Amino acid sequence: MRNLKITLEYDGSGYEGWQSQGEKKTIQRTLEQCLELITQEKIRVIGSGRTDAGVHALNQSANFLITKPIGEQKLLRAINSVLPPDIAIKTIEEASLSFHARFDAKSKVYLYRIMNWPVRPAVGRQYIWHVPGRLDLAAMEKVLGCLEGTHDFSAFCGSGSLVKDRIRTVIGWAIDARPSGLIEVTIEASGFLRHMVRNIVGTLVEVGRAKIDADQIPAIMAGKDRRQAGRTAPPGGLFLQEVRY
Amino acid sequence: MRNLKITLEYDGSGYEGWQSQGEKKTIQRTLEQCLELITQEKIRVIGSGRTDAGVHALNQSANFLITKPIGEQKLLRAINSVLPPDIAIKTIEEASLSFHARFDAKSKVYLYRIMNWPVRPAVGRQYIWHVPGRLDLAAMEKVLGCLEGTHDFSAFCGSGSLVKDRIRTVIGWAIDARPSGLIEVTIEASGFLRHMVRNIVGTLVEVGRAKIDADQIPAIMAGKDRRQAGRTAPPGGLFLQEVRY
């Protein structure tokens, strides 16, 4: 038995998210079907975590057990030749049998892309949230400063989540604004709750538009009430950028 | 009568190019239909030039005559609200009645994006040509150096073109290669023949892969024979970046 660790990139626009759910078209299911086609084995892919419908990944990590003695590079080429064009395996490496893509993840880095420009984009519109109007970047940075560290992130947890422990650690963040109007928000955390990045970014934009005062953020977090924070940013702007082990 | 100059961005993936051809879904036809819907006038949009099926534009320029006394900003918002998401008008301004988007263009700048990486991209694959394997950038720059200036570009003119005068002036060029594998080729010329940028880029890649020697380029150009140059690069990597007046 071998345990292979993979990293993969995907355009989530056409998928119902990562996780297999019956007959729904998901990244996990598509991967498993292609791997089974090539290896003629029943394969169960373990992702580092789920991504929502419409969310993309630049470097998702996963692992799976196989018995076939096929070389990693040969398998990589074979699987990329059968995967649809919106999913690509970037690397395959042999891991120890104990490696588990979800349990062993130390942190994840998400990237959210905003186009802050009067006119909506046409090229690359699948990969960005169009936000017209002036945004106060200093106020948005202040919000991220409040989130840094270990906190209960219930106020940013999507409804319907069954997770009880909502304490997570935001390890780092950055906002990079370009003259083109592109704003890239990067957040690294020990783990993320359901819709957490999208709820944080939705709140950032409401603070940037002065609909919420940045000074209210500590109280919103302490209140642990999702309804007090901003709305959920759309999925297309979100990318799982890296999983750190 | 008013003459309006517009700049627009489009994702050409879903279109049969710029130019109206009967019932085919083209950028020009889509624009005209939306403008007619809003202005209730018969509108003929004059583009700076055609773009092929699948080619994108970051800043295409065009003009059209209307009689309605609607403000430019109001018209911009109205037209963007009815245009499909893969086309967006970026600016509208009043031009002199003599302004003609095609005849008055002094030069055009095209951008071609190549992903030079072992594994194919998934995110943004609509906007790039995946070229695996080592590319000799210095040899590619040498080719562009040969193209600079005023020449007969018949060797890079797509078959089927009815244009007799194939003398054009390449005003400037650049190759920008990033550690990510992204290579951006930019070419500015007084005008472009059918498939000219894609034929140049296809040739560049064959030179980069040492299939064609850069030293052969002057002879290939002098031969004026399309079959001597490299193959046509795919349309998805090509962007009309700017039209200069």
Side-chain angles (χ1 to χ4, degrees):
Chain A
M1 190 62 78
R2 308 160 67 196
N3 189 7
L4 297 183
K5 174 180 186 280
I6 62 174
T7 59
L8 66 149
E9 176 177 319
Y10 50 82
D11 177 335
S13 309
Y15 293 88
E16 301 281 339
W18 168 268
Q19 175 132 322
S20 293
Q21 307 167 61
E23 296 298 300
K24 280 190 180 169
K25 187 186 165 197
T26 66
I27 311 286
Q28 186 190 354
R29 182 157 183 264
T30 306
L31 262 178
E32 289 173 349
Q33 285 173 333
C34 292
L35 280 166
E36 288 173 5
L37 186 74
I38 284 167
T39 62
Q40 298 293 315
E41 295 179 37
K42 175 83 191 146
I43 302 276
R44 180 76 183 170
V45 174
I46 299 163
S48 74
R50 306 174 191 184
T51 51
D52 295 332
V55 172
H56 319 292
L58 297 173
N59 287 290
Q60 165 70 292
S61 289
N63 72 291
F64 57 87
L65 298 172
I66 63 166
T67 55
K68 219 180 189 69
I70 184 173
E72 290 91 24
Q73 292 315 306
K74 195 177 167 189
L75 181 61
L76 186 144
R77 282 191 298 271
I79 177 83
N80 279 335
S81 73
V82 295
L83 278 171
D86 48 12
I87 306 179
I89 308 279
K90 297 175 88 169
T91 61
I92 302 188
E93 56 185 302
E94 196 98 34
S96 73
L97 279 177
S98 65
F99 174 76
H100 189 285
R102 181 151 61 96
F103 299 151
D104 292 349
K106 293 266 184 296
S107 73
K108 284 180 196 161
V109 183
Y110 273 96
L111 163 68
Y112 197 98
R113 302 175 74 242
I114 294 167
M115 180 50 76
N116 182 222
W117 199 253
V119 177
R120 63 178 170 77
V123 170
R125 67 200 176 283
Q126 314 88 328
Y127 306 125
I128 207 154
W129 182 24
H130 176 227
V131 177
R134 211 187 79 82
L135 290 177
D136 180 344
L137 285 171
M140 292 162 71
E141 290 184 336
K142 202 168 163 184
V143 173
L144 288 168
C146 293
L147 303 186
E148 202 172 323
T150 303
H151 306 281
D152 185 315
F153 283 94
S154 294
F156 297 104
C157 181
S159 60
S161 169
L162 299 171
V163 173
K164 292 273 185 294
D165 173 16
R166 294 177 174 187
I167 292 173
R168 297 291 181 276
T169 301
V170 169
I171 297 163
W173 57 269
I175 299 187
D176 180 30
R178 315 260 180 88
S180 63
L182 174 66
I183 298 176
E184 296 194 329
V185 179
T186 311
I187 302 177
E188 178 180 4
S190 59
F192 288 88
L193 301 166
R194 180 179 159 93
H195 293 178
M196 181 167 146
V197 183
R198 292 164 58 194
N199 290 338
I200 289 173
V201 170
T203 304
L204 280 182
V205 165
E206 291 189 27
V207 168
R209 284 169 161 165
K211 299 263 172 76
I212 297 177
D213 193 306
D215 295 329
Q216 287 176 256
I217 297 298
I220 288 172
M221 290 182 71
K224 300 180 193 174
D225 179 358
R226 171 71 194 96
R227 293 165 299 179
Q228 300 304 306
R231 66 166 167 145
T232 308
L238 185 60
F239 292 78
L240 174 53
Q241 187 169 68
E242 197 187 337
V243 184
R244 295 186 176 159
Y245 291 97
Chain B
M1 188 64 77
R2 307 161 68 199
N3 190 8
L4 297 183
K5 173 179 185 279
I6 62 173
T7 60
L8 67 149
E9 176 178 319
Y10 50 81
D11 178 335
S13 309
Y15 293 87
E16 302 280 340
W18 168 268
Q19 175 130 326
S20 292
Q21 307 169 60
E23 296 299 299
K24 281 189 179 170
K25 188 187 166 197
T26 65
I27 310 287
Q28 186 190 355
R29 183 158 182 262
T30 305
L31 263 178
E32 288 173 350
Q33 286 172 334
C34 292
L35 280 166
E36 288 173 4
L37 186 73
I38 283 168
T39 61
Q40 298 294 314
E41 296 178 37
K42 175 82 191 146
I43 303 275
R44 180 76 183 171
V45 173
I46 299 164
S48 74
R50 308 174 189 183
T51 52
D52 295 330
V55 172
H56 318 293
L58 297 173
N59 286 290
Q60 165 71 292
S61 288
N63 71 291
F64 56 88
L65 298 172
I66 62 167
T67 56
K68 220 182 187 69
I70 184 173
E72 291 91 26
Q73 292 314 306
K74 195 176 167 191
L75 182 61
L76 187 143
R77 283 190 299 270
I79 177 83
N80 279 335
S81 73
V82 296
L83 279 170
D86 46 13
I87 305 179
I89 308 278
K90 297 174 88 171
T91 61
I92 301 188
E93 56 185 303
E94 196 97 34
S96 73
L97 279 177
S98 65
F99 174 76
H100 189 284
R102 181 150 62 96
F103 299 149
D104 291 348
K106 293 267 184 292
S107 72
K108 285 181 195 160
V109 183
Y110 274 96
L111 163 70
Y112 198 99
R113 301 175 75 242
I114 294 167
M115 179 51 77
N116 182 222
W117 199 253
V119 177
R120 63 177 168 77
V123 171
R125 66 199 176 284
Q126 315 88 325
Y127 306 125
I128 207 155
W129 183 22
H130 175 228
V131 177
R134 210 187 80 81
L135 289 178
D136 181 343
L137 285 171
M140 292 162 71
E141 289 183 338
K142 202 166 162 186
V143 173
L144 288 168
C146 294
L147 303 187
E148 203 172 323
T150 303
H151 306 280
D152 185 316
F153 283 95
S154 295
F156 298 104
C157 181
S159 59
S161 170
L162 300 173
V163 174
K164 291 274 183 293
D165 173 16
R166 294 176 174 187
I167 292 173
R168 296 291 183 275
T169 301
V170 170
I171 297 163
W173 57 269
I175 299 188
D176 180 29
R178 314 259 180 89
S180 64
L182 174 66
I183 299 175
E184 295 193 330
V185 179
T186 311
I187 302 177
E188 179 181 4
S190 60
F192 289 89
L193 300 166
R194 181 180 158 92
H195 293 178
M196 181 167 145
V197 183
R198 292 164 58 193
N199 290 339
I200 289 173
V201 170
T203 304
L204 280 181
V205 165
E206 291 189 27
V207 168
R209 284 169 160 166
K211 298 261 172 77
I212 297 177
D213 194 305
D215 294 329
Q216 288 177 252
I217 297 298
I220 288 172
M221 290 182 72
K224 300 178 193 173
D225 179 357
R226 171 72 195 95
R227 294 164 301 178
Q228 300 304 307
R231 64 165 167 147
T232 307
L238 185 60
F239 293 78
L240 174 53
Q241 188 169 68
E242 198 187 336
V243 183
R244 295 186 178 158
Y245 290 96

